[in-house]
Amino acid sequence: MGLPLGALDAVLAAHRAGRPDEAERACRVLLRDHPGDPDLLHLLGVALHQQGRHREAVDWIGRAVSRLPSFPAFRVNRSQALRALGETEAAEEDLRRVLATAPDHVVALANLGDLLAGAGDPVRALLPLRRALERDPGFHPARTSLVKALVDLDAWEEALDAGAGAPDSPALLVNLAVAQTRLGRKLEARETLERALALFPATAYLHNNLGNVLRDLGDWPEALSHYRRALELDGSLFVAHSNVMFTRLFDPGATGAELAGEGRGWEARRGCLSPSLPPPVARDPEKRLRIGYVSPDFKEHAVAFFTEPLLRAHDRSVVEVVCYSGTPRPDRTTERLRSLADGWVETLKMGDGVLAERIRSDGIDILVDLAGHTHGNRLLALAARPAPVQVTAVLGYGGTTGLSWIGHVLTDGVLTPEGAEGQFTERVVRIPGAFAAFQPREEWAEAAPVPPGPPVFGCLSDPSRIDGEQLLWWRRLLEEVPGSRLLFKHGAYDSPRLESYWRSLFAAVSERSSFEGLAGGWGAHMGVYGRVSVVLDTWPVSGATSALIPLWMGVPVVAVAGGHAGQRFGAAVLTAAGLPELVAADGPGSVAIAAGLVRDGDRLRELRETLRGRLRASPLLDAGGHARAMEAAFRGLWREACARETGEENGGKPG
């Protein structure tokens, strides 16, 4: 017997009022008398989905589907719950089943396009999204998803055109701001997101995205305030916590201990994320190890200069390498890296739970996070502890993860000197020689001689890394070296409006500075190294690649060694290159070193002529030595894990 007329009124009213818990209770009451009613089963599943209980939702909506398999709404809503679980293939299958019998179903078309775009497949997303808008031009969720897909395809102008005239929504405005950012119009992006927050002030991800733009514009204090507001609104928004951790590196006053405390705080507030399954057991201490590297940056990216030589040099009789790639736009570097791995897994379409299950099923012994709290990290997937040993590399991030499920951090003795262990929640593992090995590109030009004319000091890094105090050091440097100038070169200066913005922000030195963009990428701009006398590392965020490339091109670099790893990459590079005399203990010391270099023409000329040889003879270009050191570290960690398991099985842990 069917439901009596009006029986669903209370359920639907609760849904419309945004009270899914009340809708759930009403459904369960009605199901006592009508246990097989498909509408009730479906609405109960929707209420559970709205409460974040996605697995239960899939089960209840599935019961409705089994009773009415051809009813589109049931499959459409089950696909949403499946997507929330990270089961994107099953979610896509439900939507395609709907479209097989109802090809003009606008919601199914729009949801399919949004799912494909969100899973890193924007090319396939375009067709269903455009079909949805052809059938209903006023269905604005499809327009919002189309804008996102176009942004992901780097069709930024087209994305702005597609979003023009659509009613404001948080998702639309975020994607318009992303398009503006990618076009170098970050000041406009800031205005777009500020307008969005004026309209939707309690939307957590709007605060997070505005924080990203503000940080890129050098306003890290205001960025931090927006990230923290995002977490107040939604404590589960892990990306905002990652952004807090990353942005604290821009604070010149932050200590390593404070950064570790910041990291511990999120997990303490959220509660430890208990894995659904126990961690895999470590046995056989001398086995060939399966190493898993997890990264969103297996592409033309700074981190790839260090991952490529490691992958190439690994001894395959000792380790087997599987790469878990979350790279949204693969390129030639991606393909090169893929050819160096024994196994390659694309992770963009995998939710955290699905990725953890895949890592566990792959039998990974040691899982290495290469991203830390940088964009695109998969730290939450590691919370399920899918591997017996889980480590992070300080390279690529520069600090602690602050997470209990990451057991060790790979660093070196300069980035993390003895006594600095308290800066990490992980146990510190120092790699002998250097934190990583670097691979220059074969197509780069020969090292350039000392440029003629007055000295030019170069800063070729992201200007958001530069603190106001450093600008005062540099002003003193310009005063001490008459006729000298500063050259700022980076993509941040590509537009006249942005160049004007940074000139204003860098007023302390801008009268004796030039600002140049980076259109075409580094490959088109290697000639800059023949125009600068000395490169100045940034403070408080120090650079690794931005120190190594100038050194390889024959230009000495001057750095300041700060108090934690994020402030010490330049120092680590210069020390490993045999040039510790170019590392200062503070800002005034860096001024003295840089001024001394350009005054001593013989020393500067000697450095320009010998830097490549120094690097070739250093640990920084010894890929084989670094791979052996990493393998030895992995073996030591694995033996310890096996010993712990043996100790537990014998009734106690070894001392």
Side-chain angles (χ1 to χ4, degrees):
M1 182 177 178
L3 288 171
L5 188 66
L8 292 176
D9 289 352
V11 177
L12 296 173
H15 273 295
R16 286 191 290 268
R19 298 193 295 270
D21 54 338
E22 184 179 318
E24 177 194 353
R25 289 192 296 272
C27 282
R28 291 190 185 279
V29 168
L30 289 169
L31 280 167
R32 293 171 191 165
D33 296 324
H34 308 278
D37 185 86
D39 287 322
L40 281 175
L41 295 169
H42 168 244
L43 289 171
L44 175 56
V46 171
L48 292 167
H49 171 55
Q50 291 171 340
Q51 295 176 72
R53 294 155 64 185
H54 309 302
R55 181 59 64 196
E56 295 175 75
V58 168
D59 177 57
W60 284 100
I61 300 175
R63 299 184 197 187
V65 170
S66 67
R67 285 164 174 77
L68 284 178
S70 62
F71 193 66
F74 295 174
R75 289 189 183 275
V76 167
N77 284 329
R78 184 171 66 174
S79 76
Q80 293 294 84
L82 286 164
R83 183 178 178 183
L85 288 168
E87 298 178 14
T88 54
E89 292 183 0
E92 181 179 343
E93 173 62 21
D94 258 341
L95 293 171
R96 293 200 180 278
R97 290 282 294 273
V98 171
L99 293 170
T101 56
D104 293 335
H105 195 289
V106 171
V107 176
L109 287 167
N111 284 9
L112 176 60
D114 187 66
L115 182 146
L116 293 170
D121 199 350
V123 173
R124 286 204 302 149
L126 293 180
L127 179 61
L129 291 171
R130 286 177 168 149
R131 281 176 56 196
L133 288 168
E134 286 171 4
R135 283 145 183 77
D136 185 355
F139 192 68
H140 297 299
R143 189 168 302 280
T144 296
S145 299
L146 177 62
V147 170
K148 173 177 171 42
L150 292 167
V151 165
D152 290 343
L153 288 167
D154 298 344
W156 305 314
E157 293 284 8
E158 192 177 348
L160 294 176
D161 290 341
D168 289 334
S169 70
L172 176 70
L173 292 169
V174 158
N175 283 303
L176 293 178
V178 171
Q180 291 165 333
T181 298
R182 301 280 176 83
L183 287 165
R185 292 151 57 177
K186 290 184 180 178
L187 296 170
E188 292 178 38
R190 181 181 66 182
E191 293 163 1
T192 296
L193 290 167
E194 287 173 342
R195 177 165 64 88
L197 278 171
L199 295 169
F200 310 101
T203 306
Y205 67 82
L206 286 178
H207 284 279
N208 181 69
N209 281 57
L210 179 56
N212 292 341
V213 174
L214 291 168
R215 185 183 63 212
D216 288 349
L217 290 171
D219 192 354
W220 63 264
E222 191 64 19
L224 266 179
S225 72
H226 281 282
Y227 295 139
R228 295 195 192 283
R229 178 58 179 149
L231 288 168
E232 289 173 4
L233 292 165
D234 182 358
S236 66
L237 192 63
F238 185 75
V239 66
H241 171 64
S242 279
N243 281 325
V244 167
M245 293 294 292
F246 184 67
T247 305
R248 285 302 306 273
L249 298 175
F250 291 70
D251 178 356
T255 67
E258 288 174 348
L259 295 172
E262 185 86 61
R264 290 188 186 96
W266 180 84
E267 197 173 343
R269 290 188 297 272
R270 292 286 300 161
C272 185
L273 301 179
S274 300
S276 56
L277 295 171
V281 172
R283 292 193 176 94
D284 187 1
E286 305 310 317
K287 65 171 289 191
R288 182 188 183 210
L289 295 175
R290 285 177 64 81
I291 309 297
Y293 290 107
V294 185
S295 176
D297 299 319
F298 290 128
K299 59 183 178 179
E300 189 63 15
H301 184 278
V303 173
F305 286 102
F306 303 97
T307 53
E308 182 170 349
L310 176 61
L311 295 180
R312 193 180 300 278
H314 263 315
D315 181 350
R316 291 316 202 269
S317 69
V318 174
V319 299
E320 180 182 2
V321 173
V322 180
C323 291
Y324 296 89
S325 174
T327 303
R329 285 183 287 279
D331 55 23
R332 285 184 295 179
T333 299
T334 309
E335 291 309 306
R336 199 164 60 248
L337 295 171
R338 184 171 190 157
S339 72
L340 299 174
D342 300 298
W344 187 273
V345 180
E346 299 286 353
T347 64
L348 276 176
K349 295 183 179 181
M350 296 182 181
D352 291 326
V354 174
L355 174 55
E357 289 173 11
R358 175 60 189 266
I359 293 167
R360 181 185 290 268
S361 68
D362 286 343
I364 297 300
D365 299 314
I366 297 180
L367 192 61
V368 186
D369 159 59
L370 295 175
H373 282 290
T374 59
H375 178 71
N377 74 74
R378 301 305 301 269
L379 289 170
L380 279 187
L382 276 60
R385 295 174 173 84
V389 178
Q390 300 191 160
V391 306
T392 188
V394 74
L395 169 69
Y397 166 50
T400 180
T401 65
L403 300 170
S404 64
W405 55 85
I406 306 295
H408 307 81
V409 60
L410 304 173
T411 181
D412 70 16
V414 178
L415 284 173
T416 310
E418 294 294 332
E421 291 81 4
Q423 298 178 2
F424 295 89
T425 60
E426 306 88 353
R427 183 180 138 207
V428 169
V429 178
R430 294 181 180 86
I431 304 299
F435 61 90
F438 177 72
Q439 181 170 309
R441 296 283 188 260
E442 292 181 0
E443 65 270 20
W444 289 347
E446 289 300 311
V450 178
V456 176
F457 298 101
C459 177
L460 314 176
S461 300
D462 188 333
S464 68
R465 297 177 173 187
I466 301 170
D467 180 61
E469 185 180 6
Q470 185 171 46
L471 294 171
L472 298 180
W473 306 341
W474 289 353
R475 184 170 70 184
R476 186 186 305 178
L477 175 61
L478 295 173
E479 291 168 351
E480 289 196 13
V481 183
S484 63
R485 294 188 62 79
L486 263 169
L487 170 62
F488 292 98
K489 189 172 183 64
H490 191 268
Y493 316 121
D494 276 346
S495 77
R497 190 179 175 193
L498 272 175
E499 180 189 333
S500 176
Y501 171 84
W502 287 108
R503 276 188 177 277
S504 174
L505 213 60
F506 292 174
V509 296
S510 61
E511 287 187 6
R512 290 176 60 179
S513 300
S514 303
F515 293 77
E516 297 181 7
L518 201 64
W522 277 116
H525 290 269
M526 297 304 287
V528 68
Y529 297 108
R531 297 161 48 202
V532 297
S533 308
V534 174
V535 164
L536 305 173
D537 189 21
T538 47
W539 171 269
V541 182
S542 182
T545 312
S546 55
L548 269 161
I549 294 177
L551 291 175
W552 181 254
M553 297 304 296
V555 186
V557 177
V558 175
V560 176
H564 60 76
Q567 298 173 344
R568 298 177 64 87
F569 278 108
V573 166
L574 288 165
T575 301
L579 295 166
E581 67 272 19
L582 299 185
V583 180
D586 54 25
S590 71
V591 170
I593 293 171
L597 270 177
V598 297
R599 291 187 185 123
D600 188 344
D602 291 340
R603 169 66 169 154
L604 190 58
R605 191 161 33 254
E606 184 266 337
L607 281 173
R608 306 276 303 213
E609 292 171 354
T610 62
L611 276 173
R612 282 201 177 178
R614 289 173 182 264
L615 285 177
R616 286 192 180 104
S618 78
L620 291 164
L621 264 70
D622 182 9
H626 178 66
R628 302 296 83 73
M630 290 284 282
E631 289 156 6
F634 291 152
R635 181 63 63 187
L637 295 176
W638 182 250
R639 286 171 177 158
E640 289 178 6
C642 291
R644 283 195 299 272
E645 294 294 343
T646 302
E648 289 170 357
E649 289 168 5
N650 292 335
K653 293 187 177 182

